[in-house]
C-alpha cells in the first residue's frame, strides 16, 4: 500500500504477490520499473514476461512468481506509474501553488482586490504566474518526459481496463484538486470549471512539446498562450469581486 498523495484517505494497492522480505520487495520493484521503461519505449503491448525479465535482469521465473499473468503485471506497472505521478502532483503544488502564497502583498492585491488595479500591477502578476506555469511545463517535458509518455499509454489503457481506470481517476482528481485550490486562492467564482480548462490547456501544450521535443519547442509561444488564458480569467475575477 502506498499513500495516494491526495489527502482523501485512499491508498494505492498492488495486485501481484506481496513480498515478505526487503530483498524480495526490491526485486519486485525492479520488475515494475523495468516494465514501465518498456511502456515508455514500446507501449503497453511491449510488456511480456520474457521482455520484462530481460529488461530487469532477473530470471524469467521471477516475473511469473510475482505476477500470475500479464494483466496483473500491466495493472501493477500502472499502479507504480500512478504512485510516481502523484509525487509529481505534489511537486507541482510545492513549485507553483505554495510559492503563490509568498508573493508580495502588492502583487496579491491585483488578484484579491476589487479596487483600482493598474495595468502594470496586473502584468506583474500575470508574468509571475506564467513563469511558474511555463517552468512546470518545461520540467514535465524535460526531466519528466518519460512519465508524460507513459501517461499517453496510461490514458488509453484506462479506457479499456476498469482497474487502470480507477488509477487514472485517482491521478486526475489529485491534479484537478491542486489546480482548483489555486483557482480558489485567486477568488475564482467557478474554480472547478477554471481548473478543468487549465488542465486541458496543460495537456494540449505538453502533447505538442512531446511531438516536437523539448529542445525544439517554442516556449515563447507557450508563455504567450498561458498569458492569454490567464489574462482572460484574472480581469474577469476582478470584475466579479467588484460586482
Amino acid at each position: 500500500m502506498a499513500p495516494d498523495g491526495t489527502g482523501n484517505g485512499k491508498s494505492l494497492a498492488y495486485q501481484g504477490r506481496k513480498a515478505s522480505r526487503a530483498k524480495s520487495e526490491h526485486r519486485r520493484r525492479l520488475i515494475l520499473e523495468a516494465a514501465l521503461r518498456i511502456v515508455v519505449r514500446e507501449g503497453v503491448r511491449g510488456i511480456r514476461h520474457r521482455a520484462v525479465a530481460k529488461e530487469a535482469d532477473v530470471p524469467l521465473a521471477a516475473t511469473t512468481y510475482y505476477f500470475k499473468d500479464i494483466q496483473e503485471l500491466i495493472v501493477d506497472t500502472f499502479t507504480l506509474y500512478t504512485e510516481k505521478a502523484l509525487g509529481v502532483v505534489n511537486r507541482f503544488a510545492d513549485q507553483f501553488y505554495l510559492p503563490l502564497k509568498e508573493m508580495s502583498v502588492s502583487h496579491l492585491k491585483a488578484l484579491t482586490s476589487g479596487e483600482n488595479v493598474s495595468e502594470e500591477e496586473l502584468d506583474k502578476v500575470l508574468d509571475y504566474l506564467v513563469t511558474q506555469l511555463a517552468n512546470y511545463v518545461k520540467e514535465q517535458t524535460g526531466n519528466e518526459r518519460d512519465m508524460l509518455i507513459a501517461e499517453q499509454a496510461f490514458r488509453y489503457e484506462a479506457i479499456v481496463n476498469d482497474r487502470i481506470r480507477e488509477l487514472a481517476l485517482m491521478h486526475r482528481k489529485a491534479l484537478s484538486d491542486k489546480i482548483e485550490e489555486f483557482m480558489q486562492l485567486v477568488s475564482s467564482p467557478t474554480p472547478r470549471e477554471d481548473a478543468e480548462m487549465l488542465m486541458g490547456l496543460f495537456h494540449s501544450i505538453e502533447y505538442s512539446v512531446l511531438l516536437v521535443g523539448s529542445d525544439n519547442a517554442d516556449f515563447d509561444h507557450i508563455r504567450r498562450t498561458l498569458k492569454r488564458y490567464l489574462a482572460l480569467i484574472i480581469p474577469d475575477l476582478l470584475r466579479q469581486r467588484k460586482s
Side-chain angles (χ1 to χ4, degrees):
M1 303 283 280
D4 67 3
T6 66
N8 60 13
K10 291 184 178 180
S11 296
L12 296 171
Y14 289 90
Q15 292 191 346
R17 184 190 295 266
K18 303 301 183 289
S20 58
R21 296 177 301 170
K23 183 177 179 180
S24 181
E25 177 57 30
H26 176 67
R27 172 170 280 191
R28 187 177 182 279
R29 180 83 177 197
L30 283 178
I31 292 170
L32 292 177
E33 294 278 4
L36 192 56
R37 290 195 299 273
I38 290 174
V39 169
V40 172
R41 289 200 312 264
E42 305 174 30
V44 176
R45 301 302 168 247
I47 295 183
R48 297 289 182 269
H49 280 295
R50 191 174 299 279
V52 172
K54 181 179 180 181
E55 178 73 21
D57 194 22
V58 299
L60 177 59
T63 65
T64 55
Y65 172 78
Y66 290 109
F67 308 99
K68 64 183 180 183
D69 53 33
I70 289 298
Q71 182 63 21
E72 193 170 79
L73 177 53
I74 289 173
V75 169
D76 273 11
T77 298
F78 281 111
T79 302
L80 174 64
Y81 163 82
T82 304
E83 184 180 317
K84 289 174 174 284
L86 290 171
V88 173
V89 169
N90 290 330
R91 288 198 295 276
F92 168 77
D94 290 341
Q95 294 172 8
F96 177 62
Y97 171 66
L98 294 180
L100 182 62
K101 292 184 175 180
E102 300 174 2
M103 290 176 64
S104 68
V105 173
S106 61
H107 284 188
L108 280 176
K109 181 181 177 181
L111 292 176
T112 61
S113 173
E115 301 174 359
N116 294 328
V117 178
S118 69
E119 290 295 326
E120 180 182 1
E121 191 65 34
L122 180 58
D123 206 52
K124 287 180 181 179
V125 173
L126 288 174
D127 284 342
Y128 170 84
L129 296 177
V130 167
T131 296
Q132 296 300 313
L133 291 174
N135 286 344
Y136 175 74
V137 171
K138 186 170 287 188
E139 172 74 11
Q140 288 295 95
T141 56
N143 293 337
E144 301 290 345
R145 179 177 180 274
D146 284 357
M147 286 291 290
L148 277 186
I149 294 174
E151 183 177 341
Q152 301 304 315
F154 186 46
R155 289 178 184 172
Y156 173 76
E157 290 300 314
I159 296 172
V160 300
N161 185 308
D162 289 343
R163 172 55 184 150
I164 293 176
R165 185 178 302 120
E166 292 176 14
L167 297 170
L169 289 171
M170 181 186 295
H171 173 234
R172 180 177 175 79
K173 185 177 187 306
L175 181 56
S176 177
D177 285 351
K178 292 298 181 184
I179 299 177
E180 189 173 334
E181 284 179 30
F182 160 70
M183 292 301 175
Q184 291 170 345
L185 185 64
V186 298
S187 303
S188 166
T190 54
R192 184 177 180 184
E193 289 75 12
D194 288 337
E196 187 72 27
M197 287 191 291
L198 185 54
M199 282 180 63
L201 182 58
F202 269 144
H203 291 325
S204 176
I205 289 173
E206 289 170 347
Y207 181 65
S208 296
V209 176
L210 284 178
L211 287 177
V212 301
S214 184
D215 292 340
N216 298 318
D218 186 350
F219 277 95
D220 287 337
H221 171 70
I222 290 171
R223 290 186 184 92
R224 290 194 300 272
T225 301
L226 291 168
K227 189 168 185 176
R228 171 63 176 164
Y229 168 79
L230 293 173
L232 290 172
I233 287 182
I234 290 178
D236 182 60
L237 299 184
L238 296 175
R239 285 194 295 272
Q240 288 282 346
R241 291 188 68 85
K242 288 178 181 178
S243 60

